[in-house]
Amino acid sequence: MKTMPIDQSQAMLILASESRPHFKDRDGQQPAIDRATGAHLHLVDVMFAFNGRAEVITVKVPEPGLGKGLKVGLPVVFTGLVASAWENEINGKDRHGISLRADAVTAKAGA
């Protein structure tokens, strides 16, 4: 799968929700595991503001990469933030999208 790094230097990222475990199934029985580290994945919602526009995005982060003291409303920065295109067939329909993953999320220095 091809990945592209995301430059955050010109964007403002604000933590929009507390992290939550990511599951492979809809019933929340099978935790999603990070292929690179073997750790459980968490979902982190942030407000991503750039060039006068803002939207909430969700980023997958392995559990050890969740910074200490993260609180909703704090500016954050991701380490190793990448975008990956995906596609598959679900119920006979082709689906595609972009998945975001980072090695870590921490409170922005000086915030």
Side-chain angles (χ1 to χ4, degrees), residues 31-88:
I33 304 297
D34 183 46
R35 292 179 191 161
T37 66
H40 289 186
L41 283 171
H42 282 247
L43 301 174
V44 178
D45 295 330
V46 294
M47 181 201 65
F48 190 97
F50 174 73
N51 205 22
R53 301 185 71 185
E55 63 182 271
V56 175
I57 61 171
T58 301
V59 181
K60 296 175 190 172
V61 179
E63 190 170 30
L66 297 172
K68 303 287 186 224
L70 293 177
K71 292 186 170 100
V72 173
L74 280 179
V76 295
V77 64
F78 288 100
T79 303
L81 181 60
V82 295
S84 302
W86 60 268
E87 62 181 55
N88 58 26

Side-chain angles (χ1 to χ4, degrees), residues 89-101:
E89 186 178 320
I90 301 172
N91 296 328
K93 294 185 178 186
D94 290 332
R95 303 279 186 165
H96 60 275
I98 296 174
S99 177
L100 301 171
R101 185 208 175 274

Side-chain angles (χ1 to χ4, degrees), residues 18-32:
E18 293 190 20
S19 70
R20 61 195 182 280
H22 180 43
F23 295 96
K24 292 185 342 183
D25 61 331
R26 291 182 186 257
D27 298 333
Q29 300 298 314
Q30 296 180 343

